[in-house]
Amino acid sequence: MWAGLVARIFLLLLGCSFLATGGRATTVTPPEFPDLVNQSDFIVRAVVRSVVSEYAKPGSHKIITNVEMEVREIIAGTPTQPLVLRLLGGKIGNEEMTLEGAPQFKTGDEGVYFVQGNGRQVYPLVAMMHGVYPIKRTADGREFIARSNRVPLQDTAEVALPLTDGASAELQQRMSRPDRAMTPADFVQRIRSAVKSSNTRLRAR
């Protein structure tokens, strides 16, 4: 129990350089859409193949989670091959490290991922929860883009809005119109249009 408590405190302290606490959950300042795009090392549409947690080193209580991704589309930049996102936190047996507000990965999840600092920073997505956009499907099979709280994304301008959570997010989900949300193709086109001509890192293909 104490080890788990220490782990949670460690993560909160480690993330305090770029995290701000507001209300019940950890929040990160949402980026404007062009910043989200151009701060990325690369951007992909991918499916989670596996999620495996391990200790950072023998005898350590620091847990690392490796998320193996199957890349379906390279949208910008050059992803590593194979693509394995390395995150701080995870669960091994009864011991768990959590970063409040961080998106959780599950096998089979599909989305658009804005990757930055993989293996170098606590959470390798731009602005943490603002760097993943799940791809969902309506009852008739139409694909659409959602934000990390599963609320459908109707325009890239909404990227810069704060993310709701809990009951507020559930209410937004019920009130939203998935049929009016952006399709993956629409989202990809807007991403490529937002890449600055000077950003050779993202334009290198």
Side-chain angles (χ1 to χ4, degrees), residues 51-141:
V51 181
V52 179
S53 296
E54 62 184 12
Y55 290 110
K57 57 184 178 180
S60 170
H61 288 293
K62 180 180 176 182
I63 299 175
I64 298 293
T65 294
N66 297 302
V67 181
E68 183 180 3
M69 314 288 285
E70 177 186 332
V71 176
R72 296 284 176 85
E73 182 178 4
I74 299 174
I75 301 169
T78 305
T80 54
Q81 296 293 339
L83 177 55
V84 180
L85 300 183
R86 191 167 173 82
L87 325 172
L88 185 60
K91 184 175 183 180
I92 300 176
N94 293 324
E95 192 166 0
E96 184 175 11
M97 295 178 69
T98 58
L99 182 60
E100 293 296 329
Q104 301 298 307
F105 290 89
K106 294 184 296 184
T107 301
D109 284 351
E110 183 175 8
V112 175
Y113 300 91
F114 296 78
V115 182
Q116 180 192 56
N118 188 27
R120 303 192 306 274
Q121 59 187 38
V122 172
Y123 209 89
L125 296 176
V126 178
M128 198 162 68
M129 69 283 283
H130 299 282
V132 55
Y133 289 82
I135 294 174
K136 312 298 286 184
R137 290 168 178 80
T138 60
D140 61 2

Coordinates of all heavy atoms in Angstrom, one line a residue, residues 51-141:
V51 N -0.2 -3.8 -24.5 CA 0.1 -2.8 -23.4 C 0.8 -3.7 -22.3 O 0.1 -4.5 -21.7 CB -1.1 -2.2 -22.9 CG1 -0.8 -1.2 -21.7 CG2 -1.9 -1.4 -24.0
V52 N 2.1 -3.4 -22.1 CA 2.8 -4.3 -21.1 C 3.6 -3.4 -20.2 O 4.3 -2.5 -20.6 CB 3.9 -5.2 -21.9 CG1 4.7 -6.0 -20.9 CG2 3.2 -6.1 -22.9
S53 N 3.4 -3.6 -18.9 CA 4.0 -2.8 -17.8 C 5.2 -3.6 -17.3 O 5.2 -4.8 -17.2 CB 3.1 -2.5 -16.7 OG 2.0 -1.6 -17.2
E54 N 6.2 -2.9 -16.9 CA 7.4 -3.5 -16.3 C 8.1 -2.5 -15.3 O 7.8 -1.3 -15.4 CB 8.4 -3.9 -17.4 CG 8.9 -2.7 -18.2 CD 9.8 -3.1 -19.3 OE1 9.9 -4.2 -19.7 OE2 10.5 -2.1 -19.9
Y55 N 8.9 -3.0 -14.4 CA 9.7 -2.1 -13.6 C 10.8 -1.5 -14.4 O 11.4 -2.2 -15.2 CB 10.3 -2.9 -12.4 CG 9.2 -3.3 -11.4 CD1 8.8 -4.6 -11.2 CD2 8.5 -2.3 -10.6 CE1 7.8 -5.0 -10.3 CE2 7.5 -2.7 -9.7 CZ 7.2 -4.0 -9.6 OH 6.2 -4.4 -8.7
A56 N 11.1 -0.2 -14.1 CA 12.2 0.5 -14.9 C 13.5 -0.2 -14.7 O 14.3 -0.3 -15.6 CB 12.3 1.9 -14.4
K57 N 13.8 -0.8 -13.5 CA 15.0 -1.6 -13.3 C 14.8 -2.5 -12.0 O 13.8 -2.2 -11.2 CB 16.2 -0.6 -13.0 CG 16.0 0.3 -11.9 CD 17.2 1.3 -11.8 CE 17.1 2.3 -10.7 NZ 18.2 3.2 -10.6
P58 N 15.5 -3.5 -11.9 CA 15.4 -4.4 -10.8 C 15.4 -3.7 -9.4 O 16.3 -2.9 -9.2 CB 16.5 -5.4 -10.9 CG 16.8 -5.4 -12.4 CD 16.6 -4.0 -12.8
G59 N 14.5 -4.0 -8.5 CA 14.4 -3.4 -7.2 C 13.8 -2.1 -7.1 O 13.7 -1.5 -6.1
S60 N 13.4 -1.6 -8.3 CA 12.7 -0.2 -8.3 C 11.2 -0.4 -8.3 O 10.7 -1.4 -8.7 CB 13.1 0.5 -9.6 OG 12.4 1.7 -9.8
H61 N 10.6 0.7 -7.7 CA 9.1 0.7 -7.7 C 8.6 1.6 -8.8 O 7.4 1.8 -9.0 CB 8.6 1.3 -6.4 CG 8.8 0.3 -5.2 ND1 8.1 -0.9 -5.1 CD2 9.6 0.4 -4.1 CE1 8.4 -1.5 -4.0 NE2 9.3 -0.8 -3.4
K62 N 9.5 2.1 -9.6 CA 9.1 2.9 -10.8 C 8.6 2.0 -11.9 O 9.4 1.1 -12.4 CB 10.3 3.7 -11.3 CG 10.0 4.6 -12.5 CD 11.3 5.4 -12.9 CE 11.1 6.2 -14.1 NZ 12.4 6.9 -14.5
I63 N 7.4 2.2 -12.4 CA 6.8 1.3 -13.4 C 6.7 2.1 -14.7 O 6.4 3.2 -14.8 CB 5.4 0.9 -12.9 CG1 5.4 0.1 -11.6 CG2 4.7 0.1 -14.0 CD1 4.1 -0.2 -11.1
I64 N 7.1 1.4 -15.7 CA 7.1 1.9 -17.1 C 6.1 1.0 -17.9 O 6.0 -0.2 -17.7 CB 8.4 1.8 -17.8 CG1 9.4 2.7 -17.0 CG2 8.4 2.2 -19.3 CD1 9.2 4.2 -17.1
T65 N 5.3 1.6 -18.8 CA 4.4 0.8 -19.6 C 4.8 1.0 -21.1 O 5.0 2.2 -21.5 CB 2.9 1.3 -19.5 OG1 2.5 0.9 -18.1 CG2 2.0 0.6 -20.4
N66 N 4.9 -0.1 -21.8 CA 5.3 -0.1 -23.2 C 4.0 -0.3 -24.0 O 3.4 -1.4 -23.8 CB 6.3 -1.1 -23.5 CG 7.6 -0.8 -22.8 OD1 8.2 0.2 -23.0 ND2 8.1 -1.8 -22.0
V67 N 3.7 0.6 -24.9 CA 2.5 0.5 -25.7 C 2.9 0.2 -27.2 O 3.4 1.2 -27.8 CB 1.6 1.7 -25.6 CG1 0.3 1.5 -26.5 CG2 1.2 2.0 -24.2
E68 N 2.7 -1.0 -27.7 CA 3.1 -1.3 -29.0 C 2.0 -0.9 -30.0 O 0.8 -1.3 -29.7 CB 3.4 -2.8 -29.2 CG 3.9 -3.1 -30.6 CD 4.2 -4.6 -30.8 OE1 4.0 -5.4 -29.8 OE2 4.6 -5.0 -31.9
M69 N 2.3 -0.1 -31.0 CA 1.3 0.4 -31.9 C 1.5 -0.2 -33.3 O 2.6 -0.4 -33.8 CB 1.4 1.9 -32.0 CG 1.6 2.7 -30.7 SD 0.1 2.7 -29.8 CE -0.9 3.9 -30.7
E70 N 0.4 -0.5 -34.0 CA 0.4 -0.9 -35.4 C 0.0 0.3 -36.2 O -1.1 0.8 -36.1 CB -0.6 -2.0 -35.6 CG -0.7 -2.4 -37.1 CD -1.8 -3.4 -37.3 OE1 -2.2 -4.2 -36.4 OE2 -2.4 -3.4 -38.5
V71 N 1.0 0.9 -36.9 CA 0.7 2.1 -37.7 C -0.1 1.8 -38.9 O 0.3 1.0 -39.8 CB 2.1 2.8 -38.0 CG1 1.8 4.0 -38.9 CG2 2.9 3.1 -36.8
R72 N -1.2 2.5 -39.0 CA -2.1 2.3 -40.2 C -1.8 3.4 -41.2 O -2.0 3.2 -42.4 CB -3.6 2.4 -39.7 CG -4.0 1.2 -38.8 CD -4.2 -0.1 -39.6 NE -4.5 -1.2 -38.7 CZ -5.7 -1.5 -38.3 NH1 -6.8 -0.8 -38.7 NH2 -5.9 -2.6 -37.6
E73 N -1.4 4.6 -40.8 CA -1.1 5.7 -41.7 C -0.1 6.6 -41.0 O -0.3 7.0 -39.9 CB -2.4 6.4 -42.0 CG -2.2 7.6 -43.0 CD -3.5 8.3 -43.3 OE1 -4.6 7.9 -42.7 OE2 -3.5 9.2 -44.2
I74 N 0.9 6.9 -41.8 CA 1.9 8.0 -41.4 C 1.3 9.3 -41.9 O 1.3 9.5 -43.1 CB 3.3 7.7 -41.9 CG1 3.8 6.3 -41.4 CG2 4.2 8.8 -41.5 CD1 5.1 5.9 -42.0
I75 N 0.9 10.2 -41.0 CA 0.3 11.5 -41.4 C 1.4 12.5 -41.6 O 1.4 13.3 -42.5 CB -0.7 11.9 -40.3 CG1 -1.8 10.8 -40.2 CG2 -1.3 13.2 -40.7 CD1 -2.7 11.0 -39.0
A76 N 2.4 12.6 -40.7 CA 3.5 13.5 -40.8 C 4.7 13.0 -40.0 O 4.5 12.3 -39.0 CB 3.0 14.9 -40.2
G77 N 5.9 13.4 -40.5 CA 7.1 13.0 -39.8 C 7.4 11.5 -40.1 O 6.8 10.9 -41.0
T78 N 8.4 11.0 -39.3 CA 8.9 9.7 -39.5 C 8.9 8.9 -38.2 O 9.8 9.1 -37.3 CB 10.3 9.7 -40.1 OG1 10.4 10.5 -41.3 CG2 10.8 8.3 -40.4
P79 N 7.9 8.0 -38.0 CA 7.8 7.3 -36.7 C 8.9 6.2 -36.6 O 9.4 5.8 -37.7 CB 6.4 6.7 -36.8 CG 6.1 6.6 -38.2 CD 6.7 7.7 -38.9
T80 N 9.3 5.8 -35.4 CA 10.2 4.7 -35.2 C 9.5 3.4 -35.6 O 8.3 3.3 -35.6 CB 10.6 4.7 -33.8 OG1 9.5 4.6 -32.9 CG2 11.4 5.9 -33.4
Q81 N 10.3 2.5 -36.0 CA 9.8 1.2 -36.4 C 10.6 0.1 -35.7 O 11.8 0.0 -35.8 CB 10.0 0.9 -37.9 CG 9.2 1.9 -38.8 CD 7.7 1.7 -38.7 OE1 7.2 0.6 -38.2 NE2 6.9 2.7 -39.0
P82 N 9.9 -0.8 -34.9 CA 8.5 -0.7 -34.6 C 8.2 0.5 -33.7 O 9.1 1.0 -33.0 CB 8.2 -2.0 -33.9 CG 9.5 -2.4 -33.2 CD 10.6 -1.9 -34.2
L83 N 6.9 0.9 -33.6 CA 6.5 2.0 -32.8 C 6.0 1.5 -31.5 O 5.0 0.8 -31.4 CB 5.4 2.8 -33.5 CG 4.8 4.0 -32.7 CD1 6.0 4.9 -32.2 CD2 3.8 4.8 -33.5
V84 N 6.8 1.8 -30.4 CA 6.4 1.4 -29.0 C 6.5 2.7 -28.2 O 7.6 3.3 -28.0 CB 7.4 0.4 -28.5 CG1 7.0 0.0 -27.0 CG2 7.4 -0.9 -29.3
L85 N 5.4 3.2 -27.7 CA 5.3 4.3 -26.8 C 5.7 3.9 -25.4 O 5.2 2.9 -24.9 CB 4.0 5.0 -26.8 CG 3.4 5.5 -28.2 CD1 2.1 6.2 -27.9 CD2 4.4 6.4 -28.8
R86 N 6.6 4.6 -24.8 CA 7.1 4.3 -23.5 C 6.6 5.3 -22.5 O 7.0 6.5 -22.5 CB 8.6 4.2 -23.5 CG 9.2 3.6 -22.3 CD 10.7 3.3 -22.5 NE 11.4 2.9 -21.3 CZ 11.4 1.6 -20.8 NH1 10.7 0.7 -21.5 NH2 12.0 1.3 -19.8
L87 N 5.7 4.9 -21.6 CA 5.0 5.8 -20.7 C 5.4 5.5 -19.2 O 5.7 4.4 -18.9 CB 3.5 5.6 -20.8 CG 2.9 5.3 -22.1 CD1 1.4 5.0 -21.9 CD2 3.0 6.5 -23.1
L88 N 5.5 6.6 -18.5 CA 5.7 6.4 -17.0 C 4.4 6.1 -16.4 O 3.4 6.7 -16.6 CB 6.3 7.7 -16.4 CG 6.7 7.6 -14.9 CD1 7.8 6.6 -14.7 CD2 7.2 9.0 -14.5
G89 N 4.4 5.0 -15.6 CA 3.2 4.6 -14.9 C 2.7 3.2 -15.4 O 3.2 2.7 -16.4
G90 N 1.8 2.6 -14.7 CA 1.2 1.3 -15.0 C 0.9 0.5 -13.8 O 0.9 1.0 -12.7
K91 N 0.6 -0.8 -14.0 CA 0.2 -1.6 -12.9 C 0.9 -3.0 -13.1 O 0.9 -3.6 -14.1 CB -1.3 -1.8 -12.9 CG -1.8 -2.7 -11.7 CD -3.3 -2.7 -11.7 CE -3.8 -3.5 -10.4 NZ -5.3 -3.5 -10.4
I92 N 1.5 -3.4 -12.0 CA 2.1 -4.8 -11.9 C 1.6 -5.4 -10.6 O 2.0 -4.9 -9.5 CB 3.7 -4.7 -11.9 CG1 4.2 -4.0 -13.2 CG2 4.3 -6.1 -11.8 CD1 5.7 -3.8 -13.2
G93 N 0.8 -6.5 -10.7 CA 0.3 -7.1 -9.5 C -0.6 -6.1 -8.8 O -1.5 -5.5 -9.3
N94 N -0.3 -5.9 -7.5 CA -1.1 -5.0 -6.6 C -0.4 -3.6 -6.6 O -1.0 -2.7 -5.9 CB -1.2 -5.5 -5.2 CG -2.0 -6.8 -5.1 OD1 -3.0 -6.9 -5.9 ND2 -1.6 -7.7 -4.3
E95 N 0.7 -3.4 -7.3 CA 1.4 -2.1 -7.3 C 1.0 -1.3 -8.5 O 1.0 -1.8 -9.7 CB 2.9 -2.3 -7.2 CG 3.6 -1.1 -6.9 CD 5.1 -1.4 -6.5 OE1 5.5 -2.5 -6.5 OE2 5.8 -0.4 -6.3
E96 N 0.6 -0.1 -8.3 CA 0.2 0.8 -9.5 C 0.7 2.2 -9.3 O 0.8 2.7 -8.3 CB -1.3 0.8 -9.5 CG -1.9 1.6 -10.7 CD -3.4 1.5 -10.7 OE1 -4.0 1.0 -9.7 OE2 -4.0 1.9 -11.7
M97 N 1.1 2.7 -10.5 CA 1.5 4.1 -10.6 C 0.6 4.8 -11.6 O 0.4 4.2 -12.7 CB 3.0 4.3 -11.1 CG 4.0 3.7 -10.2 SD 5.7 3.9 -10.9 CE 5.9 5.7 -10.8
T98 N 0.0 5.9 -11.2 CA -0.9 6.6 -12.1 C -0.6 8.0 -12.2 O -0.1 8.7 -11.3 CB -2.4 6.5 -11.5 OG1 -2.4 7.0 -10.2 CG2 -2.8 5.0 -11.5
L99 N -0.9 8.6 -13.4 CA -0.7 10.0 -13.6 C -2.1 10.5 -13.9 O -2.7 10.2 -14.9 CB 0.2 10.3 -14.8 CG 0.5 11.7 -15.2 CD1 1.1 12.4 -14.0 CD2 1.4 11.8 -16.4
E100 N -2.7 11.3 -13.0 CA -4.1 11.8 -13.1 C -4.3 12.5 -14.4 O -3.5 13.4 -14.7 CB -4.4 12.6 -11.9 CG -4.5 11.9 -10.6 CD -5.6 10.8 -10.5 OE1 -6.6 11.0 -11.2 OE2 -5.4 9.8 -9.8
G101 N -5.3 12.2 -15.1 CA -5.6 12.9 -16.4 C -5.0 12.3 -17.6 O -5.4 12.6 -18.7
A102 N -4.0 11.4 -17.4 CA -3.4 10.8 -18.6 C -4.3 9.8 -19.3 O -5.0 9.0 -18.6 CB -2.1 10.1 -18.2
P103 N -4.4 9.8 -20.6 CA -5.2 8.8 -21.3 C -4.7 7.3 -21.0 O -3.5 7.1 -20.9 CB -5.0 9.1 -22.8 CG -4.5 10.5 -22.8 CD -3.7 10.7 -21.5
Q104 N -5.7 6.4 -20.9 CA -5.3 5.0 -20.7 C -5.4 4.3 -22.1 O -6.3 4.5 -22.9 CB -6.3 4.4 -19.7 CG -6.3 5.0 -18.4 CD -5.0 5.0 -17.7 OE1 -4.4 3.9 -17.5 NE2 -4.5 6.1 -17.3
F105 N -4.4 3.4 -22.3 CA -4.3 2.7 -23.6 C -4.9 1.3 -23.4 O -4.6 0.6 -22.4 CB -2.9 2.6 -24.1 CG -2.3 3.9 -24.6 CD1 -1.7 4.8 -23.7 CD2 -2.5 4.2 -25.9 CE1 -1.2 6.0 -24.2 CE2 -2.0 5.4 -26.4 CZ -1.3 6.3 -25.5
K106 N -5.7 0.8 -24.3 CA -6.2 -0.6 -24.3 C -6.0 -1.2 -25.6 O -6.1 -0.5 -26.7 CB -7.7 -0.6 -23.9 CG -8.0 -0.1 -22.5 CD -9.5 -0.2 -22.3 CE -10.3 0.7 -23.2 NZ -11.8 0.7 -22.9
T107 N -5.7 -2.5 -25.6 CA -5.5 -3.2 -26.9 C -6.7 -3.1 -27.8 O -7.9 -3.2 -27.3 CB -5.3 -4.7 -26.6 OG1 -4.1 -4.9 -25.7 CG2 -5.0 -5.5 -27.9
G108 N -6.5 -2.8 -29.0 CA -7.6 -2.6 -30.0 C -8.0 -1.1 -30.2 O -8.7 -0.8 -31.1
D109 N -7.6 -0.2 -29.3 CA -7.9 1.2 -29.4 C -7.3 1.7 -30.7 O -6.1 1.4 -31.0 CB -7.3 2.0 -28.3 CG -8.2 1.9 -27.0 OD1 -9.3 1.3 -27.1 OD2 -7.7 2.4 -25.9
E110 N -8.0 2.5 -31.5 CA -7.5 3.1 -32.7 C -7.6 4.6 -32.6 O -8.6 5.1 -32.0 CB -8.3 2.6 -33.9 CG -7.7 3.2 -35.2 CD -8.4 2.6 -36.4 OE1 -9.4 1.9 -36.3 OE2 -7.9 2.9 -37.6
G111 N -6.7 5.4 -33.0 CA -6.7 6.8 -32.9 C -5.6 7.5 -33.7 O -4.8 6.8 -34.4
V112 N -5.6 8.8 -33.7 CA -4.6 9.6 -34.2 C -3.7 10.1 -33.1 O -4.3 10.7 -32.1 CB -5.2 10.8 -35.1 CG1 -4.1 11.7 -35.5 CG2 -6.0 10.3 -36.2
Y113 N -2.4 9.9 -33.2 CA -1.5 10.2 -32.0 C -0.5 11.2 -32.5 O 0.2 11.0 -33.5 CB -0.9 8.9 -31.6 CG -1.8 7.8 -31.1 CD1 -2.4 6.9 -32.0 CD2 -2.3 7.8 -29.8 CE1 -3.3 6.0 -31.6 CE2 -3.2 6.9 -29.4 CZ -3.7 5.9 -30.3 OH -4.7 5.0 -29.9
F114 N -0.4 12.3 -31.6 CA 0.6 13.3 -31.8 C 1.8 13.0 -30.9 O 1.7 13.4 -29.7 CB 0.0 14.7 -31.6 CG -1.1 15.1 -32.5 CD1 -2.4 14.5 -32.4 CD2 -0.9 15.9 -33.6 CE1 -3.4 14.8 -33.3 CE2 -1.9 16.3 -34.5 CZ -3.2 15.7 -34.3
V115 N 2.8 12.4 -31.4 CA 3.9 11.9 -30.5 C 5.0 12.9 -30.4 O 5.5 13.5 -31.4 CB 4.4 10.6 -31.1 CG1 5.5 10.0 -30.2 CG2 3.3 9.6 -31.2
Q116 N 5.5 13.1 -29.1 CA 6.6 14.0 -28.9 C 7.4 13.4 -27.7 O 6.9 13.1 -26.7 CB 6.1 15.4 -28.5 CG 7.2 16.4 -28.1 CD 6.6 17.6 -27.5 OE1 5.9 17.6 -26.5 NE2 6.8 18.8 -28.1
G117 N 8.7 13.3 -27.9 CA 9.6 13.0 -26.8 C 9.5 11.6 -26.3 O 9.7 11.3 -25.1
N118 N 9.2 10.6 -27.2 CA 9.0 9.2 -26.8 C 10.3 8.7 -26.2 O 11.4 8.7 -26.8 CB 8.6 8.4 -28.0 CG 8.2 7.0 -27.6 OD1 7.8 6.7 -26.5 ND2 8.4 6.0 -28.5
G119 N 10.2 8.2 -25.0 CA 11.4 7.7 -24.2 C 12.2 8.8 -23.5 O 13.1 8.5 -22.8
R120 N 11.8 10.0 -23.7 CA 12.5 11.1 -23.1 C 11.7 11.9 -22.1 O 12.2 12.6 -21.2 CB 13.0 12.1 -24.1 CG 13.9 11.5 -25.2 CD 14.6 12.6 -26.0 NE 13.7 13.5 -26.6 CZ 13.0 13.4 -27.8 NH1 13.2 12.2 -28.5 NH2 12.2 14.3 -28.3
Q121 N 10.3 11.8 -22.2 CA 9.5 12.6 -21.2 C 8.4 11.7 -20.6 O 8.2 10.6 -21.1 CB 8.9 13.8 -21.9 CG 8.0 13.5 -23.1 CD 7.6 14.8 -23.8 OE1 8.4 15.8 -23.9 NE2 6.4 14.9 -24.3
V122 N 7.8 12.2 -19.6 CA 6.9 11.4 -18.8 C 5.8 10.7 -19.6 O 5.5 9.6 -19.5 CB 6.2 12.3 -17.7 CG1 5.1 11.5 -17.0 CG2 7.3 12.7 -16.7
Y123 N 5.2 11.5 -20.5 CA 4.1 11.0 -21.4 C 4.4 11.5 -22.8 O 4.3 12.7 -23.0 CB 2.7 11.5 -20.8 CG 1.6 10.6 -21.1 CD1 1.3 9.6 -20.2 CD2 0.9 10.7 -22.3 CE1 0.2 8.7 -20.5 CE2 -0.2 9.9 -22.6 CZ -0.5 8.9 -21.7 OH -1.5 8.0 -22.0
P124 N 4.6 10.6 -23.7 CA 5.1 11.0 -25.0 C 4.1 11.4 -26.0 O 4.1 11.1 -27.2 CB 5.8 9.7 -25.5 CG 5.0 8.6 -24.9 CD 4.6 9.1 -23.6
L125 N 3.1 12.2 -25.6 CA 2.1 12.8 -26.5 C 2.1 14.3 -26.2 O 2.3 14.7 -25.1 CB 0.7 12.2 -26.2 CG 0.5 10.7 -26.5 CD1 -0.9 10.3 -26.2 CD2 0.8 10.4 -28.0
V126 N 1.9 15.1 -27.2 CA 1.9 16.6 -27.1 C 0.8 16.9 -26.1 O -0.4 16.5 -26.3 CB 1.7 17.3 -28.4 CG1 1.6 18.8 -28.2 CG2 2.8 16.9 -29.4
A127 N 1.1 17.7 -25.1 CA 0.1 18.1 -24.1 C -0.7 17.0 -23.5 O -1.9 17.1 -23.2 CB -0.8 19.2 -24.7
M128 N -0.1 15.8 -23.4 CA -0.6 14.6 -22.7 C -2.0 14.2 -23.3 O -2.1 13.7 -24.4 CB -0.7 14.8 -21.2 CG -0.9 13.5 -20.4 SD -0.4 13.6 -18.7 CE -1.7 14.6 -18.1
M129 N -3.1 14.5 -22.6 CA -4.4 14.1 -23.0 C -4.9 14.8 -24.3 O -5.8 14.4 -25.0 CB -5.5 14.2 -21.9 CG -5.8 15.6 -21.6 SD -4.6 16.5 -20.5 CE -4.9 15.8 -18.9
H130 N -4.2 15.9 -24.6 CA -4.6 16.6 -25.8 C -3.9 16.1 -27.1 O -4.1 16.6 -28.2 CB -4.3 18.1 -25.7 CG -5.0 18.8 -24.5 ND1 -6.3 19.1 -24.6 CD2 -4.6 19.1 -23.3 CE1 -6.7 19.7 -23.5 NE2 -5.7 19.6 -22.6
G131 N -3.1 15.1 -26.9 CA -2.3 14.5 -28.0 C -2.8 13.2 -28.6 O -2.2 12.6 -29.4
V132 N -4.0 12.8 -28.2 CA -4.6 11.6 -28.7 C -6.1 11.8 -29.1 O -6.8 12.5 -28.3 CB -4.5 10.4 -27.7 CG1 -5.2 10.8 -26.3 CG2 -5.2 9.2 -28.2
Y133 N -6.4 11.4 -30.3 CA -7.8 11.6 -30.8 C -8.4 10.2 -31.2 O -8.1 9.7 -32.3 CB -7.8 12.6 -32.0 CG -7.5 13.9 -31.4 CD1 -6.2 14.3 -31.1 CD2 -8.5 14.8 -31.1 CE1 -5.9 15.6 -30.5 CE2 -8.3 16.0 -30.5 CZ -7.0 16.4 -30.2 OH -6.7 17.6 -29.6
P134 N -9.1 9.6 -30.4 CA -9.7 8.2 -30.7 C -10.6 8.3 -32.0 O -11.2 9.3 -32.2 CB -10.6 7.9 -29.5 CG -10.0 8.8 -28.4 CD -9.5 10.0 -29.0
I135 N -10.5 7.2 -32.7 CA -11.4 7.0 -33.9 C -12.5 6.1 -33.4 O -12.3 5.0 -33.0 CB -10.6 6.4 -35.1 CG1 -9.6 7.4 -35.5 CG2 -11.6 6.1 -36.2 CD1 -8.6 6.9 -36.6
K136 N -13.7 6.7 -33.5 CA -14.9 5.9 -33.1 C -15.8 5.6 -34.3 O -15.6 6.2 -35.4 CB -15.7 6.7 -32.0 CG -14.8 7.3 -30.9 CD -14.1 6.2 -30.1 CE -15.1 5.5 -29.2 NZ -14.4 4.5 -28.3
R137 N -16.9 4.9 -34.1 CA -17.8 4.5 -35.2 C -19.2 4.7 -34.7 O -19.5 4.3 -33.6 CB -17.5 3.1 -35.7 CG -16.1 3.0 -36.4 CD -15.7 1.6 -36.7 NE -14.5 1.6 -37.4 CZ -13.3 1.7 -36.9 NH1 -13.1 2.0 -35.6 NH2 -12.2 1.7 -37.6
T138 N -20.0 5.2 -35.6 CA -21.5 5.3 -35.3 C -22.1 3.9 -35.5 O -21.5 3.0 -36.0 CB -22.1 6.3 -36.2 OG1 -22.0 5.9 -37.6 CG2 -21.5 7.7 -36.1
A139 N -23.4 3.8 -35.2 CA -24.1 2.5 -35.3 C -24.1 2.0 -36.8 O -24.1 0.8 -37.0 CB -25.5 2.6 -34.8
D140 N -24.1 2.9 -37.7 CA -24.1 2.5 -39.1 C -22.7 2.4 -39.7 O -22.5 2.2 -40.9 CB -24.9 3.5 -40.0 CG -24.4 4.9 -39.9 OD1 -23.3 5.1 -39.3 OD2 -25.0 5.8 -40.6
G141 N -21.6 2.5 -38.8 CA -20.3 2.2 -39.3 C -19.5 3.4 -39.7 O -18.3 3.3 -40.1

